[in-house]
Amino acid sequence: MKQSPHPSLSGDQRAAVIALWKETLGLSEVDLDRGFADLGGTSLLANEFAARLKRGLDLSLPVIRIFEYPTLRLLLRFLTDGPGPMPQIAPRPGPSENAATTGKASPAEETGAHDIAIIGMACRFPGAKNLEEFWANLLDGRDTITILSDDELSPDVPPELRTDPRYVRAAGLIDEPYAMDAEFFGINPMEAKLTDPQQRVLLETSWQALEHAGEAVGQMTERVAVYAGTEDNSYYRAEIVPFPQAEKRAGRFAIMTGNEKDYVAMRIAHKLNLKGPAVSVHTACSTSLVAVIMAAKSLRQGECDLALAGGASVHFPTPEGYYFQEGGVFSSDGHCRPFD
């Protein structure tokens, strides 16, 4: 049996839902099978649509349902019949269905039951060049976003954007985003210059995290895994693509390993002589969190003894703002409010 969130929709209610869908998305015609996001829907419009349903039809619809049932056809079906049947999940083997009888290890045996300990950390954030400064900012509830003046703004920002009231001159700036102690890592100056700044930051903070954990980098006998990722590589497009002579001087392989996302984790493992799994993780905004989850699983499954997990986001050129869009993920004034 299905559980409906509302009594079955009448013909008039169905027509009213369709009308509200059209009004919210600014549509002249209705396509029952085009997704909400494909039609220009945003999280803001989803909230507006849900509010209109409640206000006009007294239908309570959690906003997340609009994304779970993204087409109008699916949403109308949900409003009428409720969610479809949930997939059946096989029960875990009981005490009498252990590995000896099933031929498979139990979940506890597969993943291990031991706890995970965080034994070292390192970071570089806006307004914090190390872990101590980062915690101090958190405790003080300090906003470390920089509002850029005309002089601070990148010269690459065109004049028409500078004077546009919707252009927000806000940026999260870290100290020396492009600097790197190349000699310390045995990297020649040309290789360092051709390397994505995000990889530079990750390499340095990886070394610092291991040092913070009391490990002697380069002399470690443990199997150390790396799970790490970066954001979009704006440095490559702006600094390397326009200069084809870079490839002639350094070679395509050096440019590829220093800039392609695929090589992020493996390059760290190579430079720090780490002998464990090296997996580059790229899941958009959740990259660092997923890297931590994967590292914990790797430890529990016995694939490694230690694991590095994290990510880096460094834009080029750094002192740029952004164009504000209603319903987007960026704020209208450039400030992040995690403490309100």
Side-chain angles (χ1 to χ4, degrees):
M1 295 181 65
K2 294 180 179 179
Q3 181 182 6
S4 174
H6 313 98
S8 185
L9 292 179
S10 66
D12 289 343
Q13 285 178 314
R14 180 184 173 87
V17 171
I18 295 174
L20 289 176
W21 178 273
K22 290 172 59 178
E23 289 173 19
T24 304
L25 292 169
L27 304 174
S28 56
E29 298 180 357
V30 170
D31 185 335
L32 291 175
D33 297 307
R34 283 200 68 188
F36 182 77
D38 294 334
L39 293 168
T42 63
S43 57
L44 192 66
L45 289 177
N47 278 277
E48 182 181 332
F49 178 68
R52 285 183 167 194
L53 283 180
K54 181 63 178 176
R55 188 168 56 246
L57 301 174
D58 198 28
L59 295 177
S60 297
L61 179 70
V63 172
I64 193 173
R65 298 298 191 187
I66 299 172
F67 297 98
E68 290 177 338
Y69 302 90
T71 69
L72 188 53
R73 187 186 305 277
L74 292 174
L75 192 64
L76 287 169
R77 187 178 300 161
F78 168 77
L79 288 171
T80 302
D81 300 329
M86 296 297 290
Q88 296 298 311
I89 300 174
R92 286 189 175 188
S96 61
E97 299 174 317
N98 55 27
T101 57
T102 63
K104 294 182 179 180
S106 70
E109 290 171 329
E110 289 179 347
T111 61
H114 53 279
D115 293 332
I116 302 298
I118 299 173
I119 61 171
M121 295 178 71
C123 65
R124 288 173 66 184
F125 286 111
K129 60 180 178 291
N130 54 45
L131 192 59
E132 290 73 26
E133 292 181 3
F134 176 66
W135 287 124
N137 288 340
L138 284 180
L139 291 173
D140 294 341
R142 189 176 298 135
D143 181 353
T144 57
I145 296 297
T146 299
I147 303 300
L148 303 165
S149 66
D150 276 332
D151 293 336
E152 292 171 320
L153 206 58
S154 168
D156 293 335
V157 178
E160 60 270 21
L161 266 185
R162 290 170 177 261
T163 56
D164 192 321
R166 293 175 71 88
Y167 185 73
V168 183
R169 302 175 173 218
L173 305 179
I174 63 173
D175 289 342
E176 300 183 295
Y178 312 127
M180 181 185 188
D181 191 348
E183 186 178 355
F184 179 83
F185 293 101
I187 298 174
N188 66 61
M190 176 58 73
E191 182 184 354
K193 183 173 178 59
L194 294 175
T195 299
D196 178 8
Q198 298 177 116
Q199 285 206 32
R200 304 180 204 178
V201 170
L202 268 179
L203 182 59
E204 290 186 328
T205 50
S206 293
W207 191 93
Q208 291 163 355
L210 290 171
E211 182 187 44
H212 187 240
E215 298 291 340
V217 182
Q219 303 175 35
M220 303 171 65
T221 58
E222 301 99 326
R223 296 168 302 159
V224 183
V226 182
Y227 294 90
T230 59
E231 205 186 349
D232 177 53
N233 186 350
S234 52
Y235 180 81
Y236 175 76
R237 292 194 302 272
E239 286 292 287
I240 298 177
V241 171
F243 303 104
Q245 63 269 30
E247 183 174 319
K248 294 179 182 178
R249 293 183 60 186
R252 179 176 296 181
F253 185 76
I255 293 175
M256 179 176 64
T257 56
N259 289 276
E260 291 284 358
K261 285 184 172 184
D262 297 357
Y263 296 91
V264 171
M266 287 183 283
R267 204 160 182 273
I268 292 171
H270 174 65
K271 294 297 183 182
L272 301 184
N273 194 31
L274 306 178
K275 295 177 173 63
V279 181
S280 297
V281 182
H282 304 290
T283 59
C285 300
S286 63
T287 292
S288 293
L289 177 60
V290 173
V292 171
I293 293 170
M294 293 180 70
K297 287 184 176 180
S298 185
L299 285 164
R300 287 203 168 101
Q301 290 170 354
E303 297 173 345
C304 60
D305 305 306
L306 296 172
L308 280 167
S313 174
V314 180
H315 296 275
F316 185 90
T318 294
E320 281 190 331
Y322 58 88
Y323 195 78
F324 171 70
Q325 292 181 305
E326 190 72 36
V329 297
F330 297 109
S331 68
S332 60
D333 61 2
H335 289 289
C336 179
R337 297 174 174 80
F339 306 103
D340 68 3

